[in-house]
Amino acid sequence: MGFRHKDIIALKDLTKEEIELLLDTADNLSEINQRDIKKVPTLRGKTVINLFYEASTRTRTSFEIAAKRLSADAVNITASTSSVVKGETLSDTAANILAMKPDIIVMRHSVSGAHEYLAKRVSCSVINAGDGAHEHPSQGLLDMLTMRQKFGKLAGLKVAIVGDITHSRVARSNIYGLTTMGAQVFLAGPPTMMPPGIERLGNVTVCKDMREAVDQADVVMMLRIQLERQGKTLLPSMREYSRYFGLNPAVLALAKKDAIVMHPGPINRGVELASSVADCDQSAIMKQVENGVAVRMAMLYHVCGGEPVE
Amino acid sequence: MNLLIKGGRVIDPSQGIDETMDVLIADGVVLELGQGIVAPEGTQTIDASGLLVTPGLIDMHVHLRDPGLEYKEDIATGSRAAAAGGFTSVACMPNTSPVIDNKAVACYVVNKAQSEALVNVFPIGSITKGSKGDSLAEMGDLKEAGCVAVSDDGKPVCNSELMRRALEYAKGIGITVISHSEDLALVGEGVMNEGFVSTELGLKGIPWAAEDIAVAREVYLAEFAAAPVHIAHISTAGSARIIRNAKARGVKVTCETAPHYFTLTDDAVRGYNTNAKMNPPLRGESDVAAMKAALADGTIDAIATDHAPHHPDEKDVEFNAALNGIVGLETSLPLSLKLVEDGVLDLKGLVSVMSCNPAKILGLDRGTLRVGAVGDVTVIDPAKEWQVEAAKLESKSKNSPFLGWKMKGKAVYTVVKGQVVYQA
């Protein structure tokens, strides 16, 4: 089967087969990243614009490398959100970019729904590199690829996601993707960071205590706490957060023996993750970053109408 | 010029009338009600058989955007939208530029309305100077200039002491205080109702408690000051409950809701639909049900539209950046008639909340077809089916979540002071 979507905005929109296709393609393409000459001509002549309205180093770089390894021309635009205040609307920016005839716009934006808005107004493909607290599909896919490589399957896995669920687009994409693939998702976090109705998003279980979520888990995914944002009203202190919702060796011991630890990065060491856990053998964090390139190659490839890579 | 409206089903709760009869208006005033009225020669006659004839509808909460924001709406276009919706009177909010916080701006609205408006336009002045919530506006002057109420519309008066004094002062001069009830700290950066849909869309939510807490404060202040207060556009089950209880205790509190709050839920926001972005936000199923129940038992006194025109550029943006509000004057009547079809209200109840009660709350000598009253009349075809189309809306702005909806019921004649100002 081919990939039928012009855009990739949300994992909520993808079927099990489409997610599998993207993961299979990423698995195949990851071999390119191991070569001496890390470049194939697949997307030669295609133009990819990375339009980033929010600061991001790893996601932007990962998309840029992915595009370049497929021989696409990648251009980065770091649009300050202040340009919106200055008067240029997203729709005007999009029109200007579109006039330069790109094939794909990869966008990160602080407003949920900005990609849906953009995709309706441009003829080229739009890939969501994170929109507000809505979705972050490339992160969800690279997380799933990392799990699948480790366990050989996603169905039946117990995945604990711990932290600020309310503000996390990573959590939402993982919830949609993982439950679509048949994994079980358990959430934990302070009640101030657990949004209403979250359990209805994809048959997930909300746990009062992170130990409940981690108990017998195959995967423990820790979310980043945004120190600048949550300090005000959502938490008494980072110290208390790390005590009740940080992953330390004792809590990790509750998970299955071969469980892996994940984090979308960047890590607040000592807050979400004890350093010893971040750097332990069970940590898959660097593998996630590595898989990010392959997954993004697969996304770029399929929105350009690629057939499955044999 | 005389006008005879013949053979319609006259519904006038102010006189307990619901029967087929004729209405004769002469020199802008209701001259006679009765069967088989024979009008003098040359009288304009409307055959109203099969139609409803009601006191002119009154929308006590609209935004005409004039002065200052005429690119969205002005007094002339807003009044045309009102007439097309069956409204003979509208009360317009003071969040213009400049704010209607002094006699000069109030007089501008009154004068411009006299020369350009198709319907009666009654300005609402602000409670505080510049609607900044710091000090009281000159309410005496505002009333003298023609303002029928005061409100810092769109903004709560956060300072409880100032709100107390506003209620006391307004009571002294006999002008209604309208409260926009919202706890701004709880609203925070919220852009839609807090609930499952906001979780799914990843949009910041506004909890129902933000409205309920503010409504409760107004109720307690009104009770303490022994002064009346009117709560604008309630949207939550909690607000309805608080007001119901307060009324039972004898507190002088009245309130309104808008058609969208008894018609739509926050589901309408899906797809990041900016035409479903408003303040207060569209709520959940149980709140919609509570609005209907509160209309049915008389807790809600009025249906007002909160007609809030915005230019397309202000809505055709990312959800967070979109301005709040929808146009409502031309869709209010059919959406409200649906309440009758659904058995929530009877026709008398509907006319009460859309005409008699708003007149009472604002102290207007309208909302009745009593002999001697101003000849403001709405003639409604309750069976007329039509579709909401942007191009056909009289309002300058088209920001409606009901575009494309099939509606049933429409004003077919709008009569102001005996003059037909709109005919479908």
Side-chain angles (χ1 to χ4, degrees):
Chain A
M1 64 166 262
F3 192 76
R4 293 183 310 274
H5 300 270
K6 168 174 98 74
D7 314 296
I8 302 178
I9 307 292
L11 293 192
K12 186 187 182 206
D13 304 335
L14 300 187
T15 62
K16 189 173 175 225
E17 291 70 29
E18 287 164 339
I19 290 172
E20 254 162 16
L21 175 65
L22 285 164
L23 296 181
D24 291 346
T25 307
D27 252 338
N28 290 337
L29 291 172
S30 64
E31 177 266 329
I32 296 165
N33 299 325
Q34 311 303 325
R35 299 180 190 173
D36 270 353
I37 310 287
K38 301 178 187 61
K39 207 170 183 78
V40 292
T42 316
L43 293 187
R44 193 165 55 199
K46 301 282 185 188
T47 305
V48 177
I49 294 192
N50 286 327
L51 176 59
F52 275 60
Y53 281 91
E54 251 188 4
S56 157
T57 305
R58 101 190 42 213
T59 304
R60 187 185 54 71
T61 309
S62 185
F63 266 110
E64 185 179 352
I65 291 173
K68 287 179 170 166
R69 289 199 176 152
L70 294 175
S71 296
D73 297 307
V75 179
N76 294 320
I77 301 177
T78 310
S80 145
T81 30
S82 69
S83 66
V84 176
V85 180
K86 282 179 192 164
E88 180 157 90
T89 62
L90 178 56
S91 144
D92 282 339
T93 307
N96 278 284
I97 289 174
L98 202 61
M100 300 176 214
K101 311 292 178 216
D103 297 285
I104 303 171
I105 297 175
V106 175
M107 183 167 82
R108 167 163 292 188
H109 201 287
S110 60
V111 173
S112 302
H115 295 77
E116 203 165 315
Y117 175 86
L118 181 74
K120 281 180 195 154
R121 282 160 185 78
V122 298
S123 50
C124 71
S125 294
V126 174
I127 292 179
N128 184 358
D131 66 324
H134 177 225
E135 281 224 38
H136 192 348
S138 65
Q139 181 74 39
L141 288 167
L142 73 87
D143 289 340
M144 285 191 280
L145 182 64
T146 308
M147 294 176 212
R148 204 178 72 164
Q149 285 169 349
K150 163 79 183 179
F151 300 104
K153 62 181 171 73
L154 293 168
L157 291 185
K158 180 183 175 182
V159 180
I161 304 179
V162 181
D164 182 359
I165 309 294
T166 298
H167 298 99
S168 179
R169 51 195 174 210
V170 175
R172 282 176 185 71
S173 281
N174 269 292
I175 289 169
Y176 286 126
L178 286 166
T179 55
T180 298
M181 301 309 289
Q184 285 181 288
V185 176
F186 292 76
L187 304 176
T192 48
M193 296 178 168
M194 201 58 77
I198 187 77
E199 62 284 348
R200 285 165 53 199
L201 277 195
N203 192 25
V204 301
T205 307
V206 177
C207 305
K208 280 212 169 107
D209 187 320
M210 83 174 281
R211 274 173 280 225
E212 247 178 270
V214 172
D215 186 45
Q216 295 304 304
D218 298 289
V219 178
V220 184
M221 183 183 295
M222 304 304 294
L223 300 175
R224 174 175 161 74
I225 289 292
Q226 288 175 299
L227 299 164
E228 64 288 354
R229 183 191 285 170
Q230 276 82 6
K232 288 183 199 160
T233 54
L234 299 181
L235 293 173
S237 68
M238 287 306 144
R239 187 193 142 275
E240 180 151 312
Y241 178 83
S242 75
R243 200 168 152 210
Y244 292 95
F245 298 99
L247 188 64
N248 55 42
V251 178
L252 182 57
L254 300 171
K256 284 190 185 148
K257 275 207 162 46
D258 63 344
I260 55 171
V261 175
M262 302 178 83
H263 191 292
I267 307 167
N268 296 302
R269 284 182 179 264
V271 180
E272 304 104 41
L273 283 180
S275 264
S276 59
V277 173
D279 303 328
C280 72
D281 291 343
Q282 286 169 272
S283 169
I285 297 171
M286 288 307 117
K287 190 68 190 167
Q288 289 174 270
V289 178
E290 184 185 329
N291 281 334
V293 175
V295 154
R296 287 165 182 132
M297 286 163 82
M299 293 168 86
L300 294 168
Y301 176 70
H302 280 299
V303 294
C304 275
E307 288 302 308
V309 176
E310 297 304 325
Chain B
M1 183 71 177
N2 296 345
L3 178 69
L4 178 65
I5 303 168
K6 244 187 134 37
R9 180 174 168 192
V10 175
I11 295 163
D12 181 3
S14 76
Q15 308 179 74
I17 295 174
D18 178 357
E19 60 181 281
T20 301
M21 54 168 71
D22 308 338
V23 180
L24 177 63
I25 302 168
D27 301 323
V29 172
V30 179
L31 188 68
E32 196 182 346
L33 285 180
Q35 312 280 351
I37 295 176
V38 180
E41 201 152 314
T43 299
Q44 184 187 353
T45 303
I46 291 172
D47 176 8
S49 47
L51 306 176
L52 307 174
V53 177
T54 73
L57 304 182
I58 300 170
D59 189 342
M60 63 181 298
H61 188 152
V62 307
H63 300 265
L64 298 182
R65 308 297 190 201
D66 191 352
L69 303 161
E70 295 92 341
Y71 68 98
K72 300 173 192 252
E73 191 83 285
D74 59 40
I75 287 170
T77 59
S79 81
R80 281 210 296 275
F87 293 98
T88 55
S89 297
V90 294
C92 60
M93 284 293 174
N95 62 339
T96 45
S97 179
V99 170
I100 307 176
D101 67 351
N102 64 70
K103 202 170 185 172
V105 186
C107 286
Y108 163 88
V109 173
V110 169
N111 292 338
K112 195 167 179 195
Q114 263 164 13
S115 60
E116 295 184 9
L118 291 181
V119 305
N120 308 297
V121 173
F122 299 104
I124 294 171
S126 62
I127 298 173
T128 65
K129 290 191 182 84
S131 289
K132 289 186 174 140
D134 295 328
S135 58
L136 296 180
E138 293 173 339
M139 292 183 198
D141 264 15
L142 287 168
K143 185 180 180 193
E144 197 178 283
C147 288
V148 294
V150 287
S151 177
D152 277 1
D153 174 78
K155 296 175 180 171
V157 176
C158 295
N159 180 330
S160 300
E161 151 72 0
L162 188 61
M163 189 62 178
R164 168 198 170 175
R165 298 306 179 191
L167 292 169
E168 289 172 347
Y169 192 87
K171 183 190 179 191
I173 58 173
I175 194 165
T176 305
V177 176
I178 301 176
S179 162
H180 173 99
S181 301
E182 211 180 10
D183 182 317
L184 293 183
L186 271 173
V187 171
E189 293 169 350
V191 292
M192 68 171 295
N193 184 48
E194 180 172 318
F196 176 64
V197 182
S198 68
T199 293
E200 187 175 314
L201 297 179
L203 291 172
K204 275 244 164 71
I206 301 172
W208 50 259
E211 179 173 319
D212 295 14
I213 286 167
V215 169
R217 184 199 73 164
E218 306 306 44
V219 162
Y220 282 112
L221 284 175
E223 186 168 16
F224 177 78
V229 69
H230 177 79
I231 313 290
H233 48 49
I234 70 164
S235 68
T236 65
S239 293
R241 189 176 60 241
I242 291 161
I243 292 165
R244 184 178 294 120
N245 292 343
K247 281 183 166 180
R249 280 206 313 279
V251 180
K252 292 192 186 76
V253 57
T254 55
C255 69
E256 72 198 28
T257 192
H260 39 276
Y261 298 122
F262 57 73
T263 307
L264 298 173
T265 67
D266 55 2
D267 258 347
V269 177
R270 285 181 195 283
Y272 302 94
N273 177 12
T274 55
N275 274 339
K277 186 178 177 189
M278 53 200 75
N279 188 24
L282 294 172
R283 307 282 185 183
E285 293 280 0
S286 57
D287 296 298
V288 170
M291 290 303 101
K292 290 181 183 169
L295 280 159
D297 72 8
T299 298
I300 294 175
D301 304 90
I303 292 173
T305 63
D306 193 5
H307 178 77
H310 288 300
H311 191 268
D313 287 346
E314 294 165 331
K315 282 290 194 181
D316 184 16
V317 289
E318 311 90 284
F319 195 83
N320 284 21
L323 296 184
N324 282 314
I326 66 169
V327 292
L329 281 166
E330 293 165 79
T331 50
S332 177
L333 179 59
L335 294 171
S336 303
L337 277 165
K338 182 85 172 32
L339 295 171
V340 177
E341 196 176 313
D342 294 347
V344 175
L345 288 176
D346 58 16
L347 280 168
K348 272 191 196 168
L350 183 77
V351 175
S352 293
V353 293
M354 293 191 77
S355 178
C356 311
N357 295 351
K360 264 184 238 157
I361 294 164
L362 298 176
L364 305 176
D365 57 348
R366 285 177 162 79
T368 178
L369 295 176
R370 214 177 286 281
V371 170
V374 179
D376 287 356
V377 186
T378 304
V379 181
I380 300 163
D381 180 349
K384 188 181 173 82
E385 294 187 1
W386 60 288
Q387 190 164 13
V388 184
E389 290 172 58
K392 291 191 179 160
L393 292 179
E394 294 287 345
S395 174
K396 215 179 258 189
S397 294
K398 318 294 176 190
N399 47 306
S400 167
F402 302 113
L403 295 177
W405 278 43
K406 291 211 163 63
M407 298 279 176
K408 191 173 164 199
K410 189 160 193 351
V412 286
Y413 293 94
T414 305
V415 177
V416 176
K417 297 184 192 109
Q419 304 285 321
V420 175
V421 296
Y422 171 81
Q423 183 179 346

